[in-house]
Amino acid sequence: MSSSQLRGRAALTAALVTVAGALAAIPAAQTAVAAPPEFNPVSASYGNPTGATVKGQFLSYNDFHGAIDPPTGSGAVVNASGTSTPAGGVEYLATYLKKLRAEAKAEGRSTITAGAGDLIGGTPLVSAAFHDEPTIELMNEVGLQVSSVGNHEFDEGVDELIRIQRGGCHPTDGCQDGDGYRGAKFTYLAANTINNKTGLPILPPIDIKYVGGVPVGFIGMTLEGTPTIVNPAGIKNVHFTDEIETANKWSNLLKLFGVKAQVLLLHEGGSQGSATPTPGVSDCTGFTGPLVPIVAGLNPAIRVVISGHTHRFYSCKLPNSSGTETVVTSAGSNGQLITDIDYTLDKRTGKFLDVTAKNVIVENGVPDGSGGWVRDASGAFVKNPDTVDAAAKRVADKYRTAVAPIANRIVGSISADIVRTATAAGESPLGDVIADAQLAYTQSAGAQIALMNPGGIRADLDADQSSGGEAFGVVTYGEAFTVQPFNNLVVTQTFSGTELKDVLEQQFVGFGGQTTQRILQVSAGLTYTWSASAAPGSKVSNLALNGTPIDPAANYLVTTNDFLANGGDGFSNLTLGDGRVTAPGFDVDALVAHLATGPIAPGLANRITRTP
């Protein structure tokens, strides 16, 4: 980019932010358009050129979650189109990004690399032990240029997110790797995260980049529902605004200043429907989710929506507010896929002429020559040394070496794989084990019941995983931390039987302000039935503890993590407990203590019963 273009970009961006106070006066198009039930794989055309054109490429990914190491266990592969492909790991992600950029350059396309949030937060120990500085350093290394924030960017609060962007040592732990922290070279966008005092976004709402002299505007944001799924303590000084209104507000400003090609980086998504074989990574089979009505309300100038949050892969065309098509993509999670978006711009009008998109699997395995992949003696996929990016590996290895003594410490054992896959009633074997662990951890304080949010269970416990060369069934601290990476506190409160039932009723949409069904995992001894057809507030029945019906007037000591106790995941009724007592350490310490009594067997997932 020339110096004049840089000055122009800076001036244009500054002008847009300066007029933020006038945004309310600009109407936001919100005409809803009914979406068809199915959408074809994406390839959209927006008319004929009026003169010269310029070609470009967006490479994008989302929900990386600090997945520096290749995923393991059931998450080691991408399952699509009836096949399973081992994928992921930052040194492989870097290789594929370089490969796709080189292919685009050969076609005369310049590349912009973008993200759609949750790059950090909910991360394995190799990143979390250093407050996710390793992930940001690696995102800098692989060439990320712009990203929206996601809900997990707020896991340690707004102030920490701003430090992550700008750099500087952690206020408590300092710079643990010994070489400082310089911040993100890419720009985090947070258009709908508003400072309560100033009324302005906490980070830039938009970014403008030039492709062959044509400006392309990026608007970035997280889902409006972020406050319900992060710890309220870290976001008490901000609020989150409506996705459609916010996107259209900034879209109108971009258009006013001559930026006609617009991309929305949105940490909200959808998913493909079930099918046999499994839908492909670039399909859009039976697509549904919150993203559909959001796109239906967007200005037509937003021709590309790079999305995330649901950890699903798709490549779709959805109707926007004018009924024309907007290309919508997502690259799954954990760096196992990259979305490759090719486009053409009209140099005279500054608008998109065409957009095509596909997802590319970041393969990390060694082909066996028969359509499969080579495995080692334990059954794990062998990693391909020929497709490792050396520069990314050097950065990753620095942190792997630093954390290895902690991560590889043996803490306990399991008798078989313990998975987080839920039954139709919403209960999982691993959910049972974690709830039991928290109950055992707090029984000395009199706890009788423990409840665990399913979203806080981030991985399975795989008996054959051997992170540090340990035997089958042996669990390391790093593996336990990957399951529960949030360092939540463990708290115990007193609830009446009536209050406990209200907590369980709040699992379901329509009661106590709940907007999303979330089934809490329960400790041994607590049993109940819920009816799918019953009205909100009347779904839970047969609630008992050790076979004795819960007494509405009696008091019970209930353990949760502090995320739930502070009202996270919409459980405002869990803020109503009395006599809060905080256990020493964190929730992962409870799991580690329980695993030490092993081998621990998978939970039976028979404590919760569902009826029609």
Side-chain angles (χ1 to χ4, degrees):
M1 187 186 299
S2 69
S3 59
S4 61
Q5 284 179 324
L6 285 169
R7 288 193 298 270
R9 172 185 168 187
L12 181 54
T13 302
L16 286 168
V17 176
T18 299
V19 297
L23 291 176
I26 298 175
Q30 295 192 60
T31 304
V33 177
E38 305 236 356
F39 308 92
N40 295 320
V42 70
S43 180
S45 180
Y46 304 114
N48 297 316
T50 63
T53 63
V54 61
K55 297 189 294 183
Q57 177 195 53
F58 303 130
L59 295 179
S60 63
Y61 50 91
N62 51 277
D63 297 275
F64 183 71
H65 288 293
I68 293 171
D69 297 327
T72 59
S74 59
V77 297
V78 173
N79 294 305
S81 302
T83 62
S84 297
T85 305
V90 72
E91 52 263 76
Y92 299 97
L93 176 67
T95 295
Y96 270 80
L97 287 170
K98 288 180 178 179
K99 175 178 179 288
L100 293 170
R101 289 177 189 134
E103 292 173 355
K105 185 177 181 180
E107 297 175 359
R109 298 181 184 274
S110 60
T111 302
I112 297 169
T113 305
D118 277 12
L119 306 176
I120 59 175
T123 54
L125 190 62
V126 67
S127 183
F130 305 95
H131 297 282
D132 284 330
E133 293 170 15
T135 295
I136 299 300
E137 188 173 341
L138 282 159
M139 295 301 95
N140 293 342
E141 174 63 39
V142 304
L144 185 65
Q145 293 166 275
V146 62
S147 178
S148 71
V149 296
N151 55 286
H152 280 289
E153 264 76 18
F154 296 93
D155 280 352
E156 293 194 41
V158 170
D159 291 345
E160 174 64 1
L161 171 58
I162 292 173
R163 184 190 74 87
I164 287 291
Q165 173 71 84
R166 297 176 181 174
C169 296
H170 189 272
T172 302
D173 295 330
C175 288
Q176 301 173 85
D177 63 355
D179 59 5
Y181 174 64
R182 298 171 181 82
K185 293 180 181 178
F186 62 91
T187 303
Y188 263 128
L189 304 181
N192 70 335
T193 307
I194 309 301
N195 184 298
N196 291 338
K197 185 176 181 179
T198 67
L200 296 174
I202 62 166
L203 289 168
I206 56 96
D207 194 14
I208 300 166
K209 299 189 181 296
Y210 285 84
V211 179
V214 179
V216 177
F218 292 84
I219 307 163
M221 68 185 74
T222 185
L223 69 156
E224 184 185 7
T226 291
T228 68
I229 50 177
V230 301
N231 198 318
I235 57 169
K236 58 186 178 182
N237 295 321
V238 299
H239 64 278
F240 296 83
T241 57
D242 178 82
E243 299 98 338
I244 298 173
E245 291 180 3
T246 305
N248 287 344
K249 190 157 48 177
W250 287 104
S251 171
N252 286 334
L253 255 294
L254 286 166
K255 187 175 180 181
L256 183 66
F257 280 83
V259 183
K260 306 293 182 60
Q262 300 175 11
V263 179
L264 176 61
L265 307 176
L266 175 63
H267 192 71
E268 178 61 291
S271 61
Q272 299 189 64
S274 299
T276 303
T278 307
V281 295
S282 299
D283 289 346
C284 192
T285 302
F287 188 80
T288 58
L291 196 54
V292 176
I294 290 174
V295 175
L298 294 178
N299 287 348
I302 301 173
R303 290 298 190 189
V304 179
V305 176
I306 295 169
S307 67
H309 188 55
T310 56
H311 293 200
R312 300 292 188 267
F313 46 71
Y314 46 83
S315 179
C316 299
K317 290 186 297 187
L318 305 184
N320 55 45
S321 65
S322 70
T324 58
E325 295 168 337
T326 292
V327 173
V328 179
T329 68
S330 176
S333 64
N334 294 329
Q336 293 183 302
L337 294 161
I338 299 168
T339 304
D340 183 356
I341 305 172
D342 290 340
Y343 61 91
T344 305
L345 297 169
D346 188 312
K347 294 195 74 170
R348 189 179 73 81
T349 66
K351 296 180 179 180
F352 285 111
L353 286 171
D354 57 65
V355 179
T356 61
K358 63 181 180 181
N359 281 320
V360 178
I361 300 177
V362 179
E363 297 177 1
N364 64 24
V366 177
D368 64 6
S370 302
W373 303 91
V374 176
R375 296 174 182 259
D376 63 19
S378 72
F381 293 103
V382 173
K383 301 300 180 288
N384 191 341
D386 297 332
T387 54
V388 167
D389 180 81
K393 186 177 187 299
R394 276 195 300 273
V395 177
D397 282 350
K398 176 180 72 171
Y399 291 104
R400 288 166 177 155
T401 300
V403 82
I406 302 171
N408 294 335
R409 177 170 61 88
I410 292 172
V411 297
S413 61
I414 56 178
S415 62
D417 291 348
I418 308 180
V419 301
R420 55 182 174 150
T421 304
T423 66
E427 185 180 359
S428 73
L430 187 50
D432 284 359
V433 168
I434 291 173
D436 289 349
Q438 294 188 3
L439 178 61
Y441 196 65
T442 54
Q443 277 184 324
S444 61
Q448 300 162 278
I449 297 165
L451 306 173
M452 174 65 192
N453 55 306
I457 307 172
R458 307 300 293 185
D460 300 336
L461 278 174
D462 297 304
D464 61 356
Q465 184 172 346
S466 183
S467 304
E470 67 276 7
F472 179 90
V474 174
V475 180
T476 65
Y477 182 81
E479 291 163 4
F481 190 90
T482 299
V483 173
Q484 287 193 273
F486 296 113
N487 275 342
N488 291 314
L489 301 175
V490 181
V491 301
T492 303
Q493 304 178 86
T494 300
F495 293 88
S496 70
T498 296
E499 290 172 328
L500 176 62
K501 182 175 183 295
D502 283 346
V503 166
L504 297 177
E505 294 286 1
Q506 204 170 27
Q507 297 174 119
F508 306 102
V509 175
F511 184 80
Q514 184 60 270
T515 59
T516 303
Q517 180 170 301
R518 297 184 176 92
I519 303 300
L520 298 171
Q521 308 301 288
V522 302
S523 56
L526 187 69
T527 56
Y528 70 92
T529 300
W530 66 271
S531 167
S533 60
S538 301
K539 289 184 175 291
V540 175
S541 61
N542 301 323
L543 179 58
L545 181 61
N546 299 319
T548 301
I550 291 291
D551 182 349
N555 288 331
Y556 299 87
L557 284 169
V558 180
T559 293
T560 67
N561 58 46
D562 67 327
F563 167 75
L564 283 173
N566 292 336
D569 275 352
F571 285 97
S572 58
N573 285 330
L574 281 171
T575 68
L576 304 178
D578 295 323
R580 181 187 293 205
V581 175
T582 302
F586 301 104
D587 51 359
V588 69
D589 297 317
L591 178 60
V592 164
H594 190 55
L595 291 169
T597 67
I600 301 297
L604 298 177
N606 61 353
R607 302 164 187 177
I608 304 172
T609 303
R610 173 182 171 174
T611 61

